[in-house]
Amino acid sequence: MTLNKPRYEGKRYRLDRPELLAPAGNLEKLKFAVHYGADAVYIGGQKYGLRSGADNFSFEEMREGVEFAARYGAKVFVATNIYAHNEDIEGLEAYLRKLEEVGIAAIIAADPAIVETAQRVAPGLEVHLSTQQSVLNWRTVQFWKEEGLPRVVLARETSLEEIAEIKSHVDIEIEAFIHGAMCSSFSGRCVLSNHFTDRDSNRGGCCQSCRWKYDLYVDGDTIAEDQEQPFTMGSKDLCMIRHIPELIEVGVDSFKIEGRMKSLHYVATVVNAYRQAIDAYFADPAGYELKPEWLEEVHKAANRPLNTGFFFDTPGTEDHIYEPEEKAAPYDFAGVVLEYDEQTGLAVIQQRNHFKPGQEIEFFGPGGTFFKQTVGELHDRDGQPLDAARHPLQEIVLRVSQPVKPMDMMRKRVR
């Protein structure tokens, strides 16, 4: 893995190459994101974030995550990106001071009250402006720079051409989402969830109502009987791995992957693919080519069909999902390598999904480690034979056809 080395300018840094910024819904995901190549990870604490459904982090877990990331030269950011109501203000100062104390590098904030409070009470925390502010133009970016912010996370609706214009006017770090779920509402500022379920999207409670199934009506009359399937209105997911050179050359400073609610397998797979693509570009910009296996890996973790969002044009009807579609990824996460014995060729696998002898499996790890094999005999730690790996987190002994390392992952084909 090629580490991202910051060079410091005053109180902040400039990156020699784009930062790969990964999501982490819990401490295990943070560790795997960093191990698989993330330069930085963004997480949620137990207050002030927009993913109340994620596991989220205690201060003790944050400290452990910061210490783990530091061993790889990586950083940890905390999302504090709610729009605060009056009752949210009490305790904010103490919370921000504690984030600074445990070693968090930056917060991601949208509400000016949180921005100002962090600058005043926790000056060691960088403040990055959240995409929830829907920044689309260079004058707004300039405004936030003058307010002392070193980085702006652009709205997902910003095009590549608009990013180039922003970078030509303002010397500031620009972060952009380059992979993951898109929202049917503008920059995620949705009120459907509030109306349908009394769960506030802008305070962390989005119920993903755009993914629900609906009946359609015309002039008060249902047309459901004419539908083979109920109607949905979600966006296809964003994927820019085909366009790494354009993103780098236009000046995006931080490549952000969406998905604090996504699985461990998703985080590791997607980070691994983008890490390899970014490093390959910087190793030989003139000779860079997209490797088919990077794109294949991304598709193995995809939850929905993929597109390029707003980067090149405004999404049309073909960029939305109007009826339930088959899950894109034909693979399931099956296990994590805990140990490997070179003498015997035996690996200890922590089970994450059912697998059994005779199934085809794949092993993969950071930097492109990859091979396939068929599951052979299975045993438990005591040497007792097993007809299948049935129990979550059970430790299974399996002979592997090639060397593996701790934190390598195993998946199985499901169709």
Side-chain angles (χ1 to χ4, degrees), residues 109-126:
D111 192 316
I114 296 177
V115 172
E116 183 277 332
T117 303
Q119 292 174 319
R120 176 168 48 84
V121 307
L125 283 177
E126 285 197 357

Side-chain angles (χ1 to χ4, degrees), residues 67-342:
E67 292 172 353
F68 181 90
R71 296 201 289 272
Y72 288 77
K75 304 175 294 295
V76 180
F77 306 153
V78 171
T80 56
N81 51 349
I82 68 165
Y83 283 98
H85 290 233
N86 288 326
E87 62 266 28
D88 297 317
I89 298 301
E90 184 177 358
L92 176 61
E93 291 188 4
Y95 181 79
L96 295 170
R97 288 192 182 101
K98 188 64 176 179
L99 294 183
E100 181 182 32
E101 189 268 324
V102 301
I104 298 301
I107 62 168
I108 305 167
D111 192 316
I114 296 177
V115 172
E116 183 277 332
T117 303
Q119 292 174 319
R120 176 168 48 84
V121 307
L125 283 177
E126 285 197 357
V127 180
H128 299 170
L129 190 73
S130 171
T131 190
Q132 296 300 113
Q133 271 286 350
S134 304
V135 174
L136 293 152
N137 66 81
W138 70 265
R139 285 189 179 274
T140 303
V141 174
Q142 181 66 37
F143 169 85
W144 286 107
K145 179 184 178 182
E146 292 171 359
E147 290 297 310
L149 273 63
R151 180 183 295 190
V152 168
V153 187
L154 295 177
R156 285 175 172 85
E157 295 77 15
T158 315
S159 70
L160 208 64
E161 183 178 355
E162 289 169 324
I163 295 174
E165 184 172 0
I166 290 169
K167 293 293 291 187
S168 72
H169 283 91
V170 189
D171 179 21
I172 192 173
E173 290 177 7
I174 293 298
E175 181 176 308
F177 282 94
I178 52 88
H179 194 92
M182 299 287 282
C183 184
S184 293
S185 297
F186 197 92
S187 289
R189 291 158 70 170
C190 176
V191 295
L192 288 177
S193 178
N194 302 54
H195 287 296
F196 289 161
T197 65
D198 200 28
R199 289 170 51 181
D200 190 341
S201 298
N202 294 306
R203 300 177 82 190
C206 179
C207 67
Q208 295 196 346
S209 48
C210 59
R211 310 288 184 190
W212 293 1
K213 299 176 181 179
Y214 294 90
D215 290 331
L216 293 182
Y217 291 81
V218 175
D219 295 329
D221 295 324
T222 180
I223 58 172
E225 59 268 20
D226 298 326
Q227 296 175 256
E228 293 184 5
Q229 294 177 312
F231 176 85
T232 66
M233 55 181 176
S235 302
K236 292 182 179 180
D237 282 1
L238 175 65
C239 176
M240 288 292 287
I241 198 165
R242 293 180 182 272
H243 303 283
I244 294 298
E246 294 100 312
L247 291 167
I248 292 171
E249 290 159 15
V250 82
V252 176
D253 296 280
S254 180
F255 292 179
K256 188 170 192 172
I257 298 168
E258 181 275 338
R260 280 194 284 138
M261 300 287 287
K262 298 290 179 63
S263 70
L264 182 67
H265 173 252
Y266 175 95
V267 172
T269 301
V270 174
V271 168
N272 198 21
Y274 277 93
R275 176 78 277 155
Q276 292 175 74
I278 293 167
D279 288 350
Y281 175 87
F282 280 97
D284 183 11
Y288 174 83
E289 292 184 2
L290 175 74
K291 290 187 177 180
E293 55 263 37
W294 302 334
L295 190 59
E296 184 180 353
E297 283 294 293
V298 164
H299 279 284
K300 288 177 181 178
N303 293 310
R304 287 180 282 270
L306 304 173
N307 68 10
T308 56
F310 289 79
F311 278 102
F312 300 105
D313 53 27
T314 301
T317 56
E318 71 281 1
D319 296 303
H320 291 77
I321 303 170
Y322 297 109
E323 58 184 28
E325 296 196 18
E326 186 177 9
K327 184 176 182 284
Y331 290 86
D332 275 345
F333 176 32
V336 175
V337 175
L338 299 180
E339 302 171 16
Y340 172 66
D341 187 328
E342 293 183 3

